[in-house]
Amino acid sequence: MAAIPGLHSMASLRSAEQIQLLDLVDSLRAEGLSEFTALPQLIVCGDQSSGKSSLLEAISGVPFPRKDNLCTRFATEVILRRASVSEIRVSLVPGKGRSSVDQDRLWQFRYEVTSLEDFNTLFEQAKDAMGLLSIGGNAFTEDILRVEISGPTQPQLTIVDLPGLIHSHNKHQTEHDVELVTNLVAKYMANPRSIILAVVSAKNDFPNQIVLKRAREVDPQGLRTLGVITKPDQLVRGSDGEKIFLSLARNEQVEFNLGWHVVRNLDSGDKDQDRDVVETQFLAESNFRSLPATHLGIAHLRQRLSIVLFEQIKAELPRLIEDIDTNITICRHGLDKLGPARAGLDEQKNFLVDLSDNFQSLCDAATKGDYEHPFFAKQSQFDRRLAAMIANRGVEFEEEIRMDGAQWKIVEGASKRTSHRTRTEAVEEVCELLKKSRGRELPGLPNPLLVGELFREYSQPWEGLARRYIEDVWNITKSFVEQALQYLTDATVSDALLRYLLDPLMDQRLVLANTKLEELMAVHKEHPETRNHYFTDRYNTLQRNQTEAKTTHILQEAFVRRPSMTAGDIPRLVAMLRQDTEADMDLIAAESTFNAMEAFYEVAMKLFVDNVPNLVVRAIIASRLPSMFCPKSVFAMDPELVKDIASETEDKRLRRQEINDKLKALEAGNNLCKQYALRVTSVLPILKRARSFDSLTSTSSIVSVKEEEETPAGEESD
């Protein structure tokens, strides 16, 4: 359709110095990047009836509703697009809370705009479709009116008009309405790349206008906020109120880094008047003329916005490029996880072969402690480093056996704990056991089988500690398998692989590991046998230590009775040692048995804490992990199993298409940024001139938000 009379082109807001950089952002918008990452933009926000809609109309040329008794009850997106043919398309975007029936109905809404007057009727028709005019209907809605204006002179730009911020609920506006509007506006303010235009009406005391509070919440230092004072004609000339707003305009009351600006828009009663003429005359005659001329009027506001947006884009461009690169990486990884399209059996099997090859490589690296793969990069996800996790649990297992592996612990003094014994108490218990185990042995010698019986009782905790260790390693390994699959493929394939293949195999590994542990424990439940010379060394040491302890005790008592001994006392000392020789043959045998058991326990313990990690954990659980799902296992799969695991739903195909579309847009945006980088040398003189206010004429990309701003990624254009 032809251009609408009265709808001015925003191309006039673009100066030659800005074209290269601002066109870059416009091109990024045209590629759809605003759906995936936040682009630098200008947003307009303010309280109800603060004059936002009139301001937006003055800036953009689009006639928003602006009657005093008419507040905006839904978001309106005006999307300006550059195209060879002029066209206006109108549609409704239903809110997330709408039923499927309402969504279908609203999506079908259409309205033809041929003149500026049609916009007034358009807003009424949209209200009716949204149910805002019906009795008992909501006062506000999350539905969006979308007006797409295309033409050869239009920039790539979205302007959003939002409901005004509400101070409190009343009979027309409920608490739900207050919350809805607050949340709706807040999501547009979330973008830290947005420049905030905080609109303040001179009709009300500015401290009471919550837009300033909201601006401070998202921009505490006022670095990206420009204040705009509207309705200055409502102030009594020379009054205290006028003086306060003059002070505010001078950046003295509420300080913003970007300062303040004063505009005088037409009121609803100012019909058939030229807006710019009325504004110019008022500002020339009012006390606001004392302010710098560049801070007055809509024309200068466009110029200031141009500079602000230009500088914001320059500052944010490096981070924007980083965001694009990050999103490209995420998209490519997402496509890798989804894998290629696979409708037939051959495609499904090829997909599983590639996936199994990657899984095998990842498991092989994990079990060998090679953590170069990006999968292991995050330090916060230490549980992905399988070899380290298993090794650390092995160290804990060894410590548990050493500290808690004995049924009772030998202590120096008496203890109330049932698991503690003094050495004397332990030997006495062995002596009682010896009497119950008498066979054909000679006096003073123990039954040969007694050492084994005593060892089995003493080492009872081993099996429980070992089973817990094996189960912990099994859980660690199982968790790693799940994380590896979730990293390599999507949730559907990952879940199917676990359910049909890997979980059953892991369960088998646990059974095999416990069976192997039973074999190891069976050896220790038989008669003790060892060829380790450490047993003899340790047994002799224990016997010698016992003899030396008794000798030391006798000599100490002798020297206490007679401190000044001489060489003549030696015969008497020898006699004392002879008299102390143990006459109880059973006690002698019990001491020897206990020492033999202790010596063998230490030998067996060293063997046990080596065998369980190596012959059970490593050999059965960890080392076999890469072969559980490998290309060879895929070729051996039943076709039905391949189908159950690798087939894909329509949702997944649509998801792949969505990611491909997003990746295409991101890569196109990345190429545009690279092209701009190649031209940066030629742009440098322009950037220097851009710092001069007079060299810039006006804005090229104003995204206005009636209240609280910011067009979030994904909602600026569809």
Side-chain angles (χ1 to χ4, degrees):
M1 62 174 292
I4 296 176
L7 184 62
H8 72 70
S9 167
M10 292 188 67
S12 62
L13 302 184
R14 305 166 61 84
S15 65
E17 292 85 350
Q18 296 171 287
I19 282 179
Q20 284 199 29
L21 192 54
L22 295 179
D23 272 0
L24 170 64
V25 176
D26 288 345
S27 299
L28 295 178
R29 259 185 238 283
E31 295 295 342
L33 245 68
S34 59
E35 296 184 24
F36 315 123
T37 188
L39 298 178
Q41 58 189 3
L42 295 169
I43 61 178
V44 181
C45 59
D47 292 11
Q48 278 189 340
S49 303
S50 61
K52 297 177 302 300
S53 295
S54 295
L55 179 66
L56 292 174
E57 177 178 346
I59 293 173
S60 67
V62 177
F64 292 90
R66 50 187 176 87
K67 294 180 181 179
D68 288 340
N69 61 349
L70 181 64
C71 64
T72 306
R73 301 187 180 278
F74 52 86
T76 302
E77 291 184 356
V78 179
I79 302 171
L80 307 176
R81 299 195 183 283
R82 190 163 38 237
S84 57
V85 179
S86 295
E87 182 182 12
I88 295 182
R89 291 186 298 174
V90 176
S91 61
L92 292 181
V93 181
K96 294 182 179 179
R98 288 285 191 176
S99 66
S100 58
V101 175
D102 282 344
Q103 287 188 17
D104 292 340
R105 177 177 59 81
L106 292 175
W107 277 120
Q108 294 175 10
F109 177 85
R110 292 293 180 270
Y111 188 84
E112 184 177 356
V113 178
T114 58
S115 67
L116 290 179
E117 287 71 22
D118 290 336
F119 278 99
N120 291 328
T121 309
L122 167 62
F123 288 111
E124 296 301 323
Q125 292 292 329
K127 281 184 181 181
D128 191 18
M130 296 175 185
L132 296 178
L133 298 182
S134 60
I135 299 175
N138 294 326
F140 297 90
T141 179
E142 291 181 320
D143 301 331
I144 299 172
L145 171 62
R146 177 171 294 164
V147 182
E148 299 179 68
I149 304 175
S150 303
T153 59
Q154 297 293 347
Q156 302 290 347
L157 168 65
T158 298
I159 304 171
V160 183
D161 182 25
L162 295 176
L165 291 169
I166 309 172
H167 286 244
S168 61
H169 66 279
N170 53 43
K171 65 179 181 179
H172 300 296
Q173 298 171 158
T174 65
E175 290 185 5
H176 173 72
D177 295 329
V178 175
E179 182 179 0
L180 188 151
V181 171
T182 299
N183 293 337
L184 180 64
V185 172
K187 74 177 182 180
Y188 282 90
M189 297 184 72
N191 180 7
R193 292 181 182 144
S194 295
I195 298 297
I196 300 171
L197 272 68
V199 181
V200 173
S201 171
K203 288 183 67 174
N204 303 312
D205 294 340
F206 72 83
N208 297 330
Q209 301 187 49
I210 56 177
V211 64
L212 298 180
K213 177 182 178 182
R214 295 286 189 268
R216 283 300 190 197
E217 289 174 351
V218 297
D219 183 26
Q221 297 179 328
L223 299 179
R224 58 184 182 94
T225 303
L226 172 65
V228 179
I229 299 174
T230 62
K231 306 184 181 181
D233 53 307
Q234 300 298 313
L235 296 169
V236 177
R237 185 174 183 132
S239 65
D240 291 339
E242 184 187 56
K243 293 177 182 178
I244 291 175
F245 272 94
L246 279 168
S247 178
L248 180 66
R250 296 189 188 100
N251 214 20
E252 296 171 350
Q253 299 288 333
V254 178
E255 185 177 354
F256 289 140
N257 184 59
L258 302 178
W260 286 81
H261 201 93
V262 180
V263 296
R264 197 285 196 195
N265 295 314
L266 293 180
D267 295 327
S268 58
D270 296 332
K271 296 181 179 180
D272 302 325
Q273 296 190 54
D274 187 296
R275 183 221 168 274
D276 292 349
V277 172
V278 172
E279 180 182 63
T280 301
Q281 182 177 354
F282 169 79
L283 294 175
E285 297 173 354
S286 72
N287 288 331
F288 285 94
R289 68 179 183 276
S290 62
L291 299 173
T294 53
H295 289 193
L296 300 174
I298 196 65
H300 286 123
L301 177 60
R302 293 195 189 106
Q303 294 173 354
R304 292 184 70 180
L305 294 181
S306 179
I307 296 173
V308 166
L309 181 62
F310 184 62
E311 295 296 331
Q312 177 74 346
I313 293 174
K314 283 198 301 179
E316 289 294 330
L317 190 58
R319 285 182 287 273
L320 176 60
I321 294 173
E322 290 178 6
D323 282 356
I324 293 174
D325 288 337
T326 300
N327 277 293
I328 287 175
T329 301
I330 293 173
C331 283
R332 288 173 177 170
H333 181 62
L335 288 175
D336 289 341
K337 289 181 68 174
L338 285 173
R342 45 192 186 276
L345 180 62
D346 290 340
E347 294 172 330
Q348 294 167 2
K349 183 168 288 189
N350 289 336
F351 164 71
L352 289 182
V353 167
D354 291 340
L355 178 59
S356 65
D357 186 54
N358 293 332
F359 177 81
Q360 187 178 35
S361 298
L362 205 58
C363 291
D364 189 58
T367 54
K368 292 178 180 178
D370 180 4
Y371 305 129
E372 294 297 320
H373 195 281
F375 173 74
F376 306 105
K378 290 186 178 181
Q379 292 297 326
S380 60
Q381 294 176 310
F382 176 68
D383 54 344
R384 291 185 174 185
R385 302 193 170 197
L386 184 61
M389 292 286 291
I390 294 177
N392 290 338
R393 185 61 184 90
V395 172
E396 293 175 1
F397 170 67
E398 180 181 5
E399 185 69 15
E400 289 169 356
I401 292 293
R402 293 189 182 279
M403 298 299 296
D404 305 314
Q407 181 75 353
W408 15 271
K409 183 179 293 185
I410 303 301
V411 295
E412 292 295 331
S415 173
K416 295 182 179 180
R417 298 182 63 177
T418 57
S419 60
H420 287 179
R421 306 281 193 283
T422 63
R423 187 173 185 82
T424 300
E425 291 172 341
V427 172
E428 289 176 352
E429 288 187 18
V430 175
C431 189
E432 292 299 318
L433 184 62
L434 181 144
K435 293 176 182 180
K436 298 176 183 178
S437 307
R438 290 190 189 282
R440 302 169 65 180
E441 66 275 5
L442 295 174
L445 297 178
N447 186 325
L449 301 178
L450 186 58
V451 173
E453 184 177 351
L454 189 60
F455 167 75
R456 286 190 291 275
E457 180 179 355
Y458 197 61
S459 60
Q460 278 186 11
W462 284 12
E463 185 170 358
L465 293 173
R467 288 192 186 280
R468 189 174 69 183
Y469 163 53
I470 292 169
E471 187 170 353
D472 286 349
V473 172
W474 180 79
N475 282 322
I476 290 170
T477 306
K478 191 174 182 181
S479 175
F480 168 82
V481 170
E482 291 176 0
Q483 291 192 64
L485 288 175
Q486 289 168 1
Y487 176 83
L488 294 171
T489 187
D490 65 272
T492 304
V493 175
S494 173
D495 291 344
L497 274 169
L498 291 171
R499 184 185 312 113
Y500 297 120
L501 181 66
L502 295 177
D503 278 348
L505 289 177
M506 286 298 298
D507 291 341
Q508 292 177 15
R509 293 286 178 263
L510 182 60
V511 172
L512 291 173
N514 283 319
T515 301
K516 186 64 178 180
L517 176 64
E518 291 173 0
E519 294 177 8
L520 297 179
M521 292 302 303
V523 173
H524 293 297
K525 292 176 182 178
E526 297 176 356
H527 183 70
E529 183 177 353
T530 180
R531 298 293 180 269
N532 195 326
H533 67 85
Y534 179 78
F535 168 77
T536 305
D537 295 341
R538 183 59 180 161
Y539 174 75
N540 291 334
T541 298
L542 291 171
Q543 291 285 85
R544 185 169 57 251
N545 290 345
Q546 185 178 350
T547 301
E548 290 176 353
K550 291 181 178 180
T551 301
T552 300
H553 179 69
I554 293 171
L555 292 177
Q556 286 175 342
E557 287 186 345
F559 275 94
V560 168
R561 297 192 194 100
R562 190 173 180 179
S564 56
M565 285 190 179
T566 63
D569 294 316
I570 293 178
R572 187 174 65 82
L573 292 174
V574 173
M576 291 175 63
L577 293 173
R578 188 183 301 116
Q579 291 174 359
D580 194 67
T581 302
E582 181 61 65
D584 190 338
M585 302 301 288
D586 286 344
L587 196 59
I588 292 175
E591 288 178 343
S592 176
T593 299
F594 188 76
N595 288 338
M597 186 278 296
E598 273 200 308
F600 181 76
Y601 179 88
E602 293 190 24
V603 171
M605 182 182 66
K606 291 177 182 293
L607 181 64
F608 189 71
V609 296
D610 279 343
N611 282 345
V612 175
N614 288 314
L615 301 181
V616 180
V617 167
R618 181 179 298 176
I620 297 178
I621 298 178
S623 64
R624 296 187 184 183
L625 188 59
S627 62
M628 289 173 56
F629 179 47
C630 60
K632 185 177 180 180
S633 67
V634 174
F635 285 115
M637 281 185 185
D638 183 89
E640 286 301 316
L641 180 59
V642 172
K643 181 179 179 181
D644 289 340
I645 295 174
S647 61
E648 57 181 0
T649 63
E650 180 64 22
D651 289 343
K652 189 178 294 185
R653 287 190 284 271
L654 291 175
R655 176 61 180 158
R656 183 184 292 105
Q657 185 60 48
E658 289 174 1
I659 296 178
N660 272 317
D661 292 344
K662 179 178 179 179
L663 181 61
K664 182 179 179 181
L666 289 166
E667 288 178 337
N670 195 36
N671 290 334
L672 288 171
C673 290
K674 289 180 179 178
Q675 293 171 12
Y676 174 78
L678 293 175
R679 302 194 307 269
V680 71
T681 304
S682 63
V683 175
L684 285 177
I686 298 176
L687 298 184
K688 291 179 181 179
R689 291 197 303 274
R691 297 185 181 278
S692 169
F693 180 86
D694 291 336
S695 69
L696 292 172
T697 58
S698 68
T699 19
S700 117
S701 175
I702 298 173
V703 174
S704 64
V705 177
K706 186 178 189 174
E707 356 272 19
E708 291 216 74
E709 10 216 278
E710 194 215 343
T711 304
E715 298 196 9
E716 193 163 293
S717 62
D718 286 343

